[in-house]
Amino acid sequence: MPQAISSSRRSSLDSLAGSPLASPTSSASPYSPTESISVLDSTSALVLLPSQDEEDSFELSSDEEHEEHDPQLEIAKLAIPPLPAATVFLYLLAPYLRLGAILVPNGITSLKFGLANLFVAAALSVFSRNLWFLLARYLRKSTAEDIFLEVIAKGISTAKRRRREKIRRLLFCVTGSLRILMTSMYLRASVDSVYPLLLESLPVQTRLIATLALGLLVFVVSFPKSLAAKQVICTTWLSVFLYTAWLVAALYSHMTGTAMPSPILAQLGVLWNGTTSIAFSFATSLTVPLSASLAGRPSTPSNKTGGWTYFQMLSILSTVIATLLILPSILTASSPNIPGALSSDTRNTVVHLLGASSLLLSIPSVLVSIPPLPIPLAIRRFCKLDLGKAVIISVVVLLSLAPPSMAAFLNDLTIFLALCGSYFLPAWAHITIHYFRRPISIVIPHSVPSTPQTMHPPSPLHSADALLQRKERLLQRSRLGRRVLWDVGVWLLLMPISIFGMVWAGGRLIGKW
């Protein structure tokens, strides 16, 4: 059975640039159009395995291929513009310190169980993030939607290109819907935190007014169209700082004898508990576009080895810092309060305000990442307001005003989709791409049949071919251990845990347990 070597190993062909093997059109090359591209017919043991699906689906001309490799066009195609490392680190860290982290203290009953859940969720988050960006590097894609388009619609031919485009739009619709559900849940949690305080100071029912006011504030802050905007970056940094202030205030409140505040979200749903809150806090988002943004050019990963390694370091560092910032909540939630003499109302008020402010300021980075709605050009010329953003904000506000029963269902749906997208989908994509798709590789068969040509004395071509074989085998052997590690992690960790979680969630939703 032939051995497949990943596309990143194609760089070894550069060492033979001066040989006839480097020219696909050379008569001596096994890749010549006049020769059959099969292992049995080729005199070379190295055979380039073409991607027939891509050739059949796109059939690009030479001009189109030239444009596709234009660096400026590649940067323009990025979902997130090129960002500095500090900003990428911010967007990797901020999703960990949102609603899930704030809800962690309310579901912890055992210190050992809470710590085990924390470290397992952190490890799985790092693992799934690495799966995402390795898939992006292998497939040369800059969004998770493009990766799943390769998984789902790989074999669709040119005649069915419209179906491929419909699948692409459906994937963007699902992604946008999940982010809308998240932002509506964050807005609902913020209102639930400040609403009791408003009732004490105002004699009328103000929930609708508070929701509309906070929704308007979110719309103003979320007006930029890119995560590279300074306004979005500043609000995200402020959200992280406010979470840290919330943590300090909650710890101080606990140490002075005040019980941990009541849940910030009134309608949690049946899927929310200590374990799922920790798993939700480590749910990942925007991993693929952020890695492409740091690298700058998603289609040339072989020239960005340092950038990819740097992204791995940023991903691990953000997870470690998030773990350290969530750990105190677990430690204090599982320990008894120390009696104190100060009033608890003031401290609880400060804790709720800080938590609500942190959640509210985390919304803009999620809203900006939602795919824009297709507004007709005539309407966009007539109206200067961003109607697509206005429609999205209106839907978020309406969902945040849902009655308690529907709000609980929306919260359950949100956490289910977020956990599936973070842990199950990267494992499924890894298995499909590497086990059920043709490799994008150079194939080295274990043996090449002897032919009259192979019985001749060694020639420079055969010597170059042997050198290339040795180099490719060494490169493949050096990566074998890591590939086995990823496969073991996918089959023995992510897939079993994901399937068990989905079965448990199904049983909870239908009331079996």
Side-chain angles (χ1 to χ4, degrees):
M1 180 176 179
Q3 301 172 353
I5 300 170
S6 66
S7 58
S8 60
R9 303 278 68 88
R10 291 179 180 174
S11 59
S12 60
L13 290 172
D14 298 338
S15 60
L16 300 177
S19 68
L21 192 64
S23 176
T25 57
S26 173
S27 59
S29 173
Y31 315 131
S32 174
T34 60
E35 301 290 339
S36 175
I37 312 179
S38 71
V39 176
L40 297 178
D41 294 336
S42 175
T43 60
S44 172
L46 295 176
V47 179
L48 179 63
L49 187 64
S51 178
Q52 295 180 353
D53 295 332
E54 293 182 359
E55 293 175 358
D56 295 339
S57 300
F58 298 99
E59 295 179 353
L60 297 175
S61 63
S62 58
D63 295 337
E64 290 174 335
E65 290 177 353
H66 177 73
E67 293 177 358
E68 197 171 299
H69 292 282
D70 188 350
Q72 297 298 327
L73 290 179
E74 290 178 357
I75 293 177
K77 291 178 181 179
L78 292 176
I80 301 176
L83 298 175
T87 306
V88 173
F89 171 77
L90 169 65
Y91 288 132
L92 290 174
L93 174 65
Y96 291 148
L97 306 178
R98 292 173 181 168
L99 183 60
I102 295 177
L103 291 177
V104 164
N106 301 310
I108 299 300
T109 57
S110 172
L111 177 60
K112 294 182 179 179
F113 190 67
L115 291 177
N117 289 337
L118 176 66
F119 295 130
V120 170
L124 291 180
S125 179
V126 172
F127 188 82
S128 63
R129 270 185 170 175
N130 276 275
L131 279 182
W132 275 125
F133 101 87
L134 287 175
L135 286 172
R137 182 180 182 180
Y138 178 74
L139 297 174
R140 302 184 180 185
K141 302 298 180 183
S142 60
T143 63
E145 293 83 2
D146 290 335
I147 292 177
F148 277 106
L149 194 63
E150 291 293 318
V151 173
I152 298 174
K154 178 69 175 178
I156 296 181
S157 61
T158 307
K160 299 179 180 179
R161 189 176 297 177
R162 291 184 179 180
R163 183 184 300 177
R164 186 183 182 94
E165 185 62 27
K166 289 180 180 179
I167 296 176
R168 181 186 180 88
R169 292 179 181 178
L170 178 61
L171 292 174
F172 278 103
C173 181
V174 172
T175 304
S177 300
L178 174 59
R179 292 170 186 168
I180 289 175
L181 288 173
M182 279 191 175
T183 53
S184 65
M185 185 172 63
Y186 295 160
L187 181 59
R188 190 184 309 115
S190 301
V191 174
D192 288 342
S193 296
V194 301
Y195 181 57
L197 306 178
L198 295 177
L199 284 179
E200 296 177 359
S201 57
L202 298 177
V204 296
Q205 298 292 325
T206 56
R207 184 178 180 83
L208 176 62
I209 299 176
T211 303
L212 293 177
L214 294 180
L216 180 61
L217 177 62
V218 167
F219 175 73
V220 174
V221 179
S222 306
F223 192 77
K225 298 181 179 181
S226 170
L227 289 175
K230 292 184 178 180
Q231 187 173 344
V232 181
I233 296 175
C234 291
T235 55
T236 308
W237 274 118
L238 187 57
S239 173
V240 174
F241 292 147
L242 287 174
Y243 170 82
T244 307
W246 169 88
L247 179 63
V248 173
L251 293 177
Y252 178 78
S253 179
H254 179 83
M255 294 175 63
T256 53
T258 304
M260 296 299 287
S262 58
I264 194 173
L265 194 61
Q267 304 86 16
L268 285 177
V270 298
L271 298 183
W272 290 82
N273 54 37
T275 302
T276 56
S277 295
I278 294 176
F280 181 74
S281 65
F282 284 97
T284 58
S285 62
L286 299 178
T287 301
V288 177
L290 285 176
S291 63
S293 175
L294 184 64
R297 301 174 188 175
S299 64
T300 55
S302 60
N303 297 327
K304 300 290 182 179
T305 304
W308 291 109
T309 305
Y310 197 23
F311 179 81
Q312 286 182 312
M313 295 174 56
L314 292 177
S315 176
I316 295 174
L317 181 62
S318 64
T319 307
V320 171
I321 293 178
T323 303
L324 295 177
L325 290 176
I326 297 175
L327 181 61
S329 299
I330 298 178
L331 296 177
T332 55
S334 58
S335 61
N337 292 73
I338 302 175
L342 297 177
S343 173
S344 62
D345 294 338
T346 302
R347 292 195 294 270
N348 275 338
T349 299
V350 172
V351 171
H352 279 294
L353 286 178
L354 289 175
S357 301
S358 176
L359 282 178
L360 194 65
L361 292 179
S362 68
I363 292 178
S365 60
V366 183
L367 280 178
V368 171
S369 63
I370 296 176
L373 296 179
I375 304 298
L377 180 60
I379 298 179
R380 283 183 291 171
R381 289 179 177 176
F382 177 76
C383 183
K384 300 300 182 181
L385 182 67
D386 191 347
L387 291 181
K389 187 67 66 65
V391 171
I392 292 175
I393 293 292
S394 301
V395 173
V396 169
V397 172
L398 290 176
L399 291 177
S400 65
L401 291 171
S405 59
M406 181 177 292
F409 169 76
L410 293 177
N411 293 336
D412 287 337
L413 179 62
T414 303
I415 191 173
F416 180 79
L417 293 177
L419 295 183
C420 285
S422 299
Y423 302 108
F424 172 72
L425 292 185
W428 176 50
H430 174 87
I431 292 172
T432 304
I433 292 295
H434 291 293
Y435 286 89
F436 300 101
R437 292 287 185 267
R438 295 182 63 185
I440 309 172
S441 62
I442 298 172
V443 174
I444 302 181
H446 288 298
S447 62
V448 179
S450 296
T451 62
Q453 294 179 350
T454 60
M455 300 301 293
H456 292 167
S459 63
L461 175 60
H462 294 123
S463 300
D465 187 37
L467 176 62
L468 183 57
Q469 288 184 56
R470 287 196 299 270
K471 186 174 181 180
E472 292 293 345
R473 285 197 174 96
L474 287 175
L475 292 173
Q476 178 177 256
R477 196 174 296 116
S478 66
R479 297 248 173 151
L480 180 61
R482 278 178 286 180
R483 174 60 189 275
V484 171
L485 177 64
W486 292 117
D487 289 343
V488 170
V490 167
W491 286 106
L492 298 184
L493 291 178
L494 278 185
M495 288 300 292
I497 293 176
S498 300
I499 294 175
F500 174 80
M502 289 188 290
V503 172
W504 174 85
R508 291 283 293 177
L509 290 175
I510 64 178
K512 290 295 183 180
W513 46 73

